[in-house]
Amino acid sequence: MTTDTFAQLGPRATSTQIDPVLHVPVFTDYDAALHPASVMWTSALNYKSDGTLVTDSTGLNPESDAQIFLAPLPAQTTGPFTRISNFPLVGGGTGAIASNSRRRFAFTRQGELGLGNLDGSNEVFYELSPPITTESTGTLSLFTGASLMTVPVASPTATPSPNVSPTPSPSPSPSPSPSVSPNAVPVGLAAGEVGVAQATISLAPSSATVSNANASESKRAPSLPIELNGVSVSINGAACGLYAVSSSQIRFVVPIGLTAGVYPLAINNNGTVIRGALTIVGAQPDIFTSTNGPGGRALVCNATNPAVCTPEPFTVTTNDGTGTQAATILRVSLTGVRNTLPSSITATIGTTAIIASSNSTSDLPGTDLVTFTLPSTVDVGDLPIVITVGVASSRDSSTAPHITINAGASPLPNQIDGTAFFVRQQYLDFLNREPDAAGNAFWQNEISSCGGDAQCIQVKRINTSAAFFLSIEFQQTGYLVYRTYKAAYGNLPNSPVPITRQQFLPDTREIGNGVIVNQGDWQKQLEDNKIAYFADFVTRSQFTGAYPANLTAQGFVDQLYTNAGIAPASAPNRAAAISEFNSAPPTDSAARARALRLVAEDSMLYQQEFNRAFVLMEYFGYLQRNPNDPPESTLDYQGYNFWLGKLNQFNGDYIKAEMVKAFISSSEYRQRFGQ
C-alpha cells in the first residue's frame, strides 16, 4: 500500500446529538487469511441501521448511552449498523476488546450489569453473543436447584414494571404438588441462587458437567463457565454460570447482581433459543439434600468446634474443641439467601424456631452457609428442617429434609476428624513416613477447600486417603512387596492373601527407605532399594528352601508364575525372566533376584492382584491388623471376602463400593485415635 485510505464510519455528532465518548474502533470477524470483515466501535448517538440520526425509539440507541456497534467492511456512513450491546443508562464510556469474532469480546464499563459490581466502578466484562437461528416454541420449566421445587415461568415478554404483582397470576403458575403447602411454593429465584431448567425440547447436544473443584468465586472470574457445549443461559442479558447441561436439563446459577423484578430468560442451544421470564425475589431458601429433591438428609454439619464441621447425628451441646461443652452450632448449606441478613432467616427444626446467627457465601457458586445455635429446649429425634425468610420458605415439613438431634452432650472430639491429623496419619499408615511439606500442604488444602460443606469434606477425605494406596510411591513399594510374596510363595495356607502385616511392614520400609516421589533423585534411590531388596529376598532361608538348587532356569521361573496364579505360557515377562540365566547357572542369586523382580513387576500380576491388595491394605493401614485377627468376630476372612466382592462388583470403583468410606468411618478405626 503506497497511500493510506480513510472512510467515515457512522454519522457525526450534531449540536443536538452529542457523542462525548471515545469511539475505540477495533476489527473483528477475521477469516482464515486473517482479514477482518467487520469493525466494532463505541458511540452514544441514536442512529438507525442506515446511519440516519433520529431522536425517537426507531433508532438503535434511544437512551443515547454509550453502546457498542458493528458494521461490515469496507466501512461507509450508511452502514448497515448493528448494536451489539445493551448496557443500562449509567453514563461514562466503554471500549470493546475484540476476539476473532463478534460473538465473543471483552469490554470496559461502569455500573451494575447484573453480575455483582456493587461499587459501580469501571470493570472489565466478557460478552458472549451466540447466534440465533431458531426461536423455539417449546415449553420451559424452572425449579430451585437444591431440592427441585417448582418455580413459575412468566410470559417471555415480561419486563420489570411497577404494575407487575409480586405474585405471578395463577394462569402461568404450575399447580403445586398436593404434598407442598402454599407457603412453600416459590414465587421465583433469588440472585445468586442455583436453579434448574427443563423443557419440552432438547436443551443441549450432549452432557457436560463442571466439578465443584473447578468452580470458585475467589479463584475464577467468572466463577463458572457461561457456555458449555454451545449452550448458554441469560437473565435480562446477564450470563448465568453453568454447572451442568444435558438434553433434559440445565443446572445454572442466577447472576448475583440482579435486583427484584420480572426479567426475560433465554436459553441458547447452539442457535435454538427458548425463552421465558423469571421473577427475581429477595430470597428463596432451598436446602441442599442427599436426594437432590424432596426428603432425604439435609446438608448440615456441626460447626461448634471451629476446626472441623462434623456430620450428623448432632447433640444439644458439643465439645467446642477446648474440652468445654457449648450449645451446638449447626451450619446449613443452602441456596437462595445470598443477600439476606441473618436476623431475617429462621430455621425450624421440628417445631423449634431458631433465628440464624450468621449467613455467609461459600466459595462454591450458589452455595450459602447459614449457622444457628441450638437452644436447650430444641426438639430431639429425626426431625424436618425448614428455612424461612419472610413469606419465602424451603420445603415445608411434609417434604423437607431431615436431621437427627440427640439429647445430651457430644462425646469428646476425635483427633482423626482434624484435617492436619488425618492427612499425617495417611502418610504414617500407607507410606511409613512423616509427610513432606509440599504433599502435606496439598492434601490438607484439598480437604480444606470444602470450607464447611460436610458432604464435600467427606468425599475429599475418602479420595485423599485412597490416593495414598494409588500413589506411585505406594505402588512401587508396598504393592511391589505384596506381589513379591505372591510370586514367591502364593497365598498363605488356608488364606486368600499372600502376606501378613508382620511380613509386609519391614519389607515395605526397606524398599521405600529414603524415597519421596518428586523430591531429589528419588528414582535412583528407589531403584537402588529395589535391587538391594530382591538381592536380600532370594537369599532368605524361606526362599532358598522353597526353590532348591536342582531347579532349572525355566523350572524356577515357571514355579514363580504358578505360585502367582498365572499360567506361565501366558505371562508377558516369562521369556525375559528365563533369559536372566543365559550367562548364569540357575542357582545364581543375582540372576534369581532379577528374575523374581520381573515376575513381581509383570503387568498381568499387577492387574490380577490390584483389588485384592487394595482390600488387604485397608486392614493393614486403617485397622493395623490382619483380616483374620481380633476383633474380627469370626477370626477368618469373611470381612475381607465381603469387601473384595464389593470392590469387584463395582469394577474397582472404591467410591461406589463405599469401601474406603466404611473403613475410615468404622468404630475400630476411629477408636485408634479417641472415641
Side-chain angles (χ1 to χ4, degrees):
M1 179 181 295
T2 57
T3 59
D4 293 329
T5 56
F6 300 92
Q8 182 177 333
L9 179 63
R12 296 179 181 276
T14 68
S15 58
T16 58
Q17 286 215 39
I18 61 174
D19 197 7
V21 295
L22 291 175
H23 298 305
V24 198
V26 291
F27 296 110
T28 188
D29 291 340
Y30 287 86
D31 62 19
L34 299 182
H35 297 142
S38 305
V39 61
M40 299 166 61
W41 74 97
T42 301
S43 176
L45 296 177
N46 182 27
Y47 41 79
K48 301 168 78 172
S49 177
D50 62 4
T52 304
L53 283 173
V54 294
T55 59
D56 55 30
S57 60
T58 62
L60 298 174
N61 188 16
E63 301 88 357
S64 295
D65 192 24
Q67 302 288 350
I68 297 173
F69 295 84
L70 179 138
L73 294 174
Q76 49 189 340
T77 57
T78 57
F81 303 122
T82 303
R83 173 174 156 177
I84 59 173
S85 67
N86 188 28
F87 303 138
L89 181 61
V90 294
T94 185
I97 307 168
S99 71
N100 65 337
S101 166
R102 73 181 71 182
R103 302 301 178 191
R104 301 171 188 274
F105 63 91
F107 60 91
T108 58
R109 185 66 178 174
Q110 291 179 322
E112 173 62 74
L113 302 183
L115 303 171
N117 187 19
L118 294 178
D119 61 2
S121 59
N122 218 328
E123 300 285 358
V124 176
F125 296 88
Y126 171 79
E127 179 160 315
L128 171 69
S129 300
I132 299 174
T133 57
T134 305
E135 290 283 349
S136 172
T137 58
T139 301
L140 182 65
S141 300
L142 297 174
F143 307 87
T144 57
S147 73
L148 298 181
M149 294 189 288
T150 301
V151 175
V153 179
S155 165
T157 57
T159 54
S161 167
N163 297 323
V164 177
S165 170
T167 304
S169 61
S171 56
S173 302
S175 299
S177 166
S179 62
V180 181
S181 61
N183 65 344
V185 177
V187 173
L189 295 175
E193 182 160 14
V194 180
V196 169
Q198 298 177 0
T200 55
I201 63 167
S202 176
L203 292 174
S206 59
S207 298
T209 301
V210 177
S211 69
N212 288 352
N214 292 323
S216 170
E217 292 208 8
S218 63
K219 299 174 183 177
R220 290 180 55 100
S223 58
L224 282 165
I226 62 170
E227 184 181 37
L228 287 175
N229 283 357
V231 176
S232 59
V233 180
S234 66
I235 301 173
N236 199 37
C240 298
L242 301 180
Y243 270 112
V245 300
S246 69
S247 60
S248 59
Q249 72 174 30
I250 298 172
R251 191 164 184 258
F252 63 92
V253 176
V254 177
I256 62 176
L258 294 178
T259 56
V262 182
Y263 298 101
L265 180 149
I267 298 174
N268 189 314
N269 174 12
N270 294 274
T272 298
V273 176
I274 183 170
R275 301 183 187 273
L278 172 65
T279 300
I280 299 298
V281 295
Q284 175 48 63
D286 190 26
I287 302 172
F288 289 103
T289 74
S290 60
T291 63
N292 295 317
R297 312 306 300 178
L299 191 54
V300 178
C301 63
N302 184 340
T304 313
N305 180 349
V308 61
C309 206
T310 54
E312 61 176 334
F314 308 119
T315 48
V316 178
T317 63
T318 301
N319 188 301
D320 64 4
T322 68
T324 302
Q325 287 288 327
T328 295
I329 300 172
L330 296 186
R331 180 185 296 157
V332 184
S333 293
L334 71 164
T335 189
V337 296
R338 182 183 180 98
N339 299 314
T340 305
L341 293 173
S343 58
S344 300
I345 303 173
T346 300
T348 302
I349 302 174
T351 61
T352 307
I354 310 167
I355 301 299
S357 308
S358 70
N359 177 26
S360 60
T361 56
S362 163
D363 191 51
L364 195 62
T367 298
D368 308 313
L369 302 173
V370 171
T371 65
F372 54 92
T373 303
L374 298 184
S376 60
T377 55
V378 67
D379 291 349
V380 295
D382 187 59
L383 304 165
I385 177 171
V386 177
I387 300 292
T388 304
V389 178
V391 298
S393 171
S394 63
R395 287 187 173 272
D396 76 352
S397 59
S398 66
T399 60
H402 281 219
I403 60 174
T404 296
I405 299 177
N406 295 326
S410 69
L412 292 174
N414 195 312
Q415 297 179 90
I416 200 62
D417 292 327
T419 296
F421 188 92
F422 177 80
V423 170
R424 177 175 179 266
Q425 200 61 46
Q426 308 314 302
Y427 280 92
L428 298 177
D429 288 348
F430 292 97
L431 302 185
N432 296 290
R433 64 173 175 86
E434 289 289 342
D436 56 282
N440 191 33
F442 174 82
W443 291 115
Q444 286 196 49
N445 183 65
E446 278 291 291
I447 299 172
S448 300
S449 66
C450 293
D453 187 334
Q455 184 177 12
C456 174
I457 292 171
Q458 181 186 66
V459 171
K460 291 284 190 179
R461 283 167 66 95
I462 291 169
N463 288 337
T464 294
S465 188
F468 281 79
F469 171 79
L470 301 171
S471 69
I472 294 172
E473 189 169 333
F474 185 84
Q475 294 293 302
Q476 294 296 318
T477 57
Y479 186 32
L480 181 57
V481 168
Y482 171 100
R483 302 193 311 273
T484 301
Y485 273 82
K486 180 70 176 181
Y489 310 119
N491 286 342
L492 296 167
N494 303 312
S495 168
V497 301
I499 189 172
T500 66
R501 185 169 180 269
Q502 292 72 19
Q503 295 168 318
F504 175 81
L505 286 179
D507 281 27
T508 299
R509 289 170 182 149
E510 179 182 348
I511 204 170
N513 183 37
V515 175
I516 300 178
V517 171
N518 293 329
Q519 286 200 13
D521 196 358
W522 68 272
Q523 294 101 327
K524 183 178 184 302
Q525 181 67 56
L526 178 60
E527 179 62 21
D528 291 345
N529 289 357
K530 286 182 178 182
I531 292 171
Y533 173 71
F534 283 99
D536 170 66
F537 194 94
V538 298
T539 61
R540 296 176 184 177
S541 59
Q542 182 183 2
F543 190 84
T544 57
Y547 295 88
N550 61 355
L551 281 175
T552 65
Q554 180 176 322
F556 175 80
V557 171
D558 286 356
Q559 185 173 329
L560 291 172
Y561 274 113
T562 300
N563 288 341
I566 295 174
S570 64
N573 285 1
R574 178 174 180 255
I578 294 173
S579 71
E580 292 293 342
F581 298 95
N582 286 348
S583 57
T587 56
D588 183 80
S589 295
R592 282 187 161 200
R594 293 192 298 271
L596 173 60
R597 179 177 173 181
L598 281 165
V599 176
E601 293 184 335
D602 195 301
S603 60
M604 185 175 288
L605 180 60
Y606 184 98
Q607 294 169 3
Q608 172 187 285
E609 296 298 313
F610 190 87
N611 284 358
R612 298 168 188 167
F614 201 167
V615 176
L616 186 60
M617 295 309 129
E618 305 290 284
Y619 286 91
F620 286 2
Y622 298 129
L623 306 187
Q624 303 280 289
R625 65 172 173 87
N626 297 304
N628 60 333
D629 286 345
E632 194 74 19
S633 59
T634 54
L635 297 180
D636 56 19
Y637 291 91
Q638 285 188 30
Y640 170 89
N641 290 330
F642 169 81
W643 286 113
L644 180 59
K646 285 272 285 185
L647 194 59
N648 288 338
Q649 176 188 349
F650 291 100
N651 298 313
D653 188 330
Y654 62 88
I655 296 177
K656 291 181 179 177
E658 297 190 324
M659 181 179 71
V660 175
K661 175 183 177 181
F663 275 85
I664 65 175
S665 61
S666 68
S667 58
E668 184 178 349
Y669 177 66
R670 293 180 60 80
Q671 284 169 5
R672 288 178 56 196
F673 315 104
Q675 295 183 351

